[in-house]
Amino acid sequence: DAGITQSPRYKITETGRQVTLMCHQTWSHSYMFWYRQDLGHGLRLIYYSAAADITDKGEVPDGYVVSRSKTENFPLTLESATRSQTSVYFCASRGGTSQETQYFGPGTRLLVL
Amino acid sequence: DAKTTQPPSMDCAEGRAANLPCNHSTISGNEYVYWYRQIHSQGPQYIIHGLKNNETNEMASLIITEDRKSSTLILPHATLRDTAVYYCIVRVASSSNTGKLIFGQGTTLQVKP
């Protein structure tokens, strides 16, 4: 199916464990983004990528690692999960022209115990 | 990117037009106004964007004042499914711009039967 997908949709993990959230898009969009959404903070940018093998930090990158070996995939890894990383995570993508809009995935709900 | 100000909440009767205001008094000449919405538990969804002229698509109309310091998103015939948080975002549209979005608190629109 065309579009942007995230997996898993729901995840429960324990403090200290490594967790990887997957994001896949079928449009061959250049840019991809990871946001987290928490009550009282709205959506905040974690990391973004302008193309394969090009990534950069957003507003709240600490505790997260990203990679982009293929254009269509942009995984987000929590190397050692903490309770403060309990959140809803959204992946987004957009094309390379100036006005193109972002398309968001359905989100991953992560609970860190 | 310019800061935006939106009312925290609004109500609208089903079938009536919903007019959502946004102030962006510090907008620059090369900044576009974008509107996204987020229905509960879903990822944000693009609605419409514009620079100077009024814009219309199948979802909504965007009215931008002549001085570009404010805009109004119009949902012509609101339905219960339009109940969501609506975000007004101002950003530079440039191919060299990452396109990262700065989400404020938005306006929670409640459409009532």
Side-chain angles (χ1 to χ4, degrees):
Chain A
D1 290 338
I4 184 165
T5 56
Q6 294 183 235
S7 62
R9 295 292 313 279
Y10 303 90
K11 176 74 176 178
I12 300 174
T13 191
E14 295 177 338
T15 302
R17 290 190 179 260
Q18 183 179 64
V19 178
T20 296
L21 309 184
M22 304 300 295
C23 179
H24 176 77
Q25 51 103 355
T26 60
W27 295 299
S28 298
H29 280 169
S30 301
Y31 290 89
M32 295 187 76
F33 308 83
W34 273 107
Y35 294 87
R36 62 177 288 175
Q37 186 169 35
D38 308 289
L39 281 173
H41 285 101
L43 282 138
R44 292 180 291 174
L45 183 66
I46 305 171
Y47 267 97
Y48 63 96
S49 169
D53 297 322
I54 301 175
T55 63
D56 208 346
K57 296 178 180 179
E59 302 170 75
V60 290
D62 293 343
Y64 302 95
V65 174
V66 293
S67 62
R68 195 157 174 217
S69 57
K70 293 184 178 181
T71 299
E72 61 267 28
N73 296 324
F74 190 38
L76 176 73
T77 298
L78 288 66
E79 292 190 301
S80 178
T82 65
R83 289 197 180 92
S84 65
Q85 292 177 310
T86 291
S87 187
V88 182
Y89 291 85
F90 290 101
C91 178
S93 72
R94 79 168 180 95
T97 63
S98 61
Q99 292 185 47
E100 287 190 69
T101 62
Q102 288 190 26
Y103 296 91
F104 286 78
T108 294
R109 282 149 185 80
L110 176 67
L111 174 62
V112 182
L113 300 175
Chain B
D1 292 339
K3 183 177 177 179
T4 62
T5 304
Q6 300 177 253
S9 63
M10 293 181 63
D11 289 342
C12 177
E14 188 178 19
R16 303 297 291 270
N19 298 293
L20 291 92
C22 180
N23 286 326
H24 31 79
S25 58
T26 59
I27 192 170
S28 301
N30 61 348
E31 288 181 313
Y32 284 72
V33 180
Y34 286 78
W35 283 85
Y36 284 76
R37 74 179 181 183
Q38 187 173 23
I39 296 170
H40 182 62
S41 298
Q42 297 181 22
Q45 177 190 25
Y46 165 78
I47 301 172
I48 198 167
H49 75 283
L51 181 64
K52 298 179 186 178
N53 301 320
N54 298 336
E55 302 288 344
T56 295
N57 63 20
E58 65 278 4
M59 289 182 68
S61 294
L62 174 61
I63 307 299
I64 302 174
T65 57
E66 193 168 342
D67 63 8
R68 301 208 323 120
K69 293 185 177 182
S70 65
S71 60
T72 301
L73 178 74
I74 300 173
L75 308 178
H77 305 287
T79 70
L80 298 178
R81 287 178 293 181
D82 291 322
T83 293
V85 179
Y86 288 77
Y87 297 98
C88 169
I89 300 168
V90 174
R91 73 165 184 89
V92 174
S94 164
S95 57
S96 62
N97 185 278
T98 62
K100 57 186 178 183
L101 301 174
I102 307 298
F103 285 85
Q105 296 304 308
T107 296
T108 298
L109 175 69
Q110 180 73 49
V111 180
K112 298 185 174 181

